[in-house]
Amino acid sequence: MDMAIDSTGSELSGLAGWAVDVMEELGGFGAGIAIALENLFPPLPSEVILPLAGFTASRGEFGLLEVLIWTTLGSVVGALVLYGLGAAFGRERLRRIVDRMPLVRVADLDRAEAWFARHGTKAVFFGRMIPLFRSLISVPAGVERMNLVRFTALTTAGSLLWNSIFVLAGYFLGESWPVVETYAGVLQKLVILAVVVGGGWFVVSRVRTLRAQRRETIGK
């Protein structure tokens, strides 16, 4: 297959170019490897890998079903690695670290654990469809020792749905597959903005609370 070009007409380079090279050499299996690594290293561009894999399938380089199977398997493998890291890290070690962190309390962790206990199933499934969280959600699932069979099933279902959207978009768009990258990039920027705003709100709110508590202590 010829070297792919991005939406600006330039040859893909860097991480995206590497992913293209892997797919050229290994076909659908290479796409699976690239997606597994994308789960472990989010800077890898899944918004390029998946539609490009679909485009390649449309040219007959490998089958559409083949690439869907391999990319979903890659997503599951990457998620299981992160789940294992979370399980190995453990809740008690995490609590000790949180207890030493400024502005963060163990009570915050307790609330997060309670939230995950109530909504973990939905979080794992829908988290597979949100940039950044696609990787991160596997870690707390491991820390909380979510049932491994349930985690794997939810990850498989969510990943298959998300990967299918991008792969099929590349398959049907053909040479125009970089359009998918543009819209996916906008979604990723919105997610990052939401995380930054939420983090900023948390810091400001916590600093105000600490100052109020300090004034109350001094006034006594």
Side-chain angles (χ1 to χ4, degrees), residues 1 4 12 16 20 23 47-57 170 177:
M1 134 179 168
L12 292 171
V20 170
M23 289 174 57
E47 69 273 13
V48 172
I49 299 169
L50 291 171
L52 177 56
F55 167 60
T56 306
W177 68 266

Side-chain angles (χ1 to χ4, degrees), residues 149-178:
V149 174
R150 183 187 304 136
F151 173 81
T152 303
L154 292 168
T155 298
T156 301
S159 298
L160 177 60
L161 179 57
W162 180 254
N163 292 354
S164 295
I165 291 171
F166 279 81
V167 170
L168 290 173
Y171 185 87
F172 290 112
L173 285 172
E175 297 283 352
S176 299
W177 68 266

Side-chain angles (χ1 to χ4, degrees), residues 20-190:
V20 170
D21 291 340
V22 172
M23 289 174 57
E24 286 181 333
E25 293 295 326
L26 302 176
F29 177 63
I33 291 176
I35 291 300
L37 293 175
E38 181 267 338
N39 277 263
L40 299 174
F41 307 102
L44 277 172
S46 64
E47 69 273 13
V48 172
I49 299 169
L50 291 171
L52 177 56
F55 167 60
T56 306
S58 73
R59 297 180 59 181
E61 300 285 344
F62 42 73
L64 179 60
L65 180 60
E66 177 187 357
V67 74
L68 287 174
I69 291 173
W70 279 117
T71 53
T72 300
L73 182 60
S75 295
V76 173
V77 169
L80 286 173
V81 171
L82 292 174
Y83 176 98
L85 291 175
F89 194 79
R91 177 183 293 144
E92 292 307 316
R93 186 178 300 174
L94 179 61
R95 292 176 74 85
R96 289 196 296 269
I97 291 175
V98 167
D99 192 41
R100 294 181 175 87
M101 292 176 64
L103 302 181
V104 183
R105 300 169 178 170
V106 173
D108 296 325
L109 179 60
D110 292 337
R111 284 192 290 270
E113 290 178 344
W115 182 91
F116 194 87
R118 292 194 303 272
H119 306 290
T121 297
K122 291 181 286 187
V124 170
F125 177 76
F126 290 107
R128 305 307 308 172
M129 307 174 207
I130 303 175
L132 300 181
F133 288 95
R134 211 169 28 241
S135 299
L136 296 177
I137 194 61
S138 301
V139 178
V143 171
E144 295 299 317
R145 298 297 180 96
M146 183 179 192
N147 180 276
L148 187 57
V149 174
R150 183 187 304 136
F151 173 81
T152 303
L154 292 168
T155 298
T156 301
S159 298
L160 177 60
L161 179 57
W162 180 254
N163 292 354
S164 295
I165 291 171
F166 279 81
V167 170
L168 290 173
Y171 185 87
F172 290 112
L173 285 172
E175 297 283 352
S176 299
W177 68 266
V179 171
V180 182
E181 178 188 357
T182 301
Y183 288 103
V186 172
L187 175 60
Q188 185 170 23
K189 288 182 176 64
L190 289 174

Side-chain angles (χ1 to χ4, degrees), residues 185-208:
V186 172
L187 175 60
Q188 185 170 23
K189 288 182 176 64
L190 289 174
V191 171
I192 293 173
L193 177 62
V195 171
V196 171
V197 171
W201 176 85
F202 173 81
V203 171
V204 171
S205 176
R206 183 53 51 84
V207 168
R208 286 178 175 173

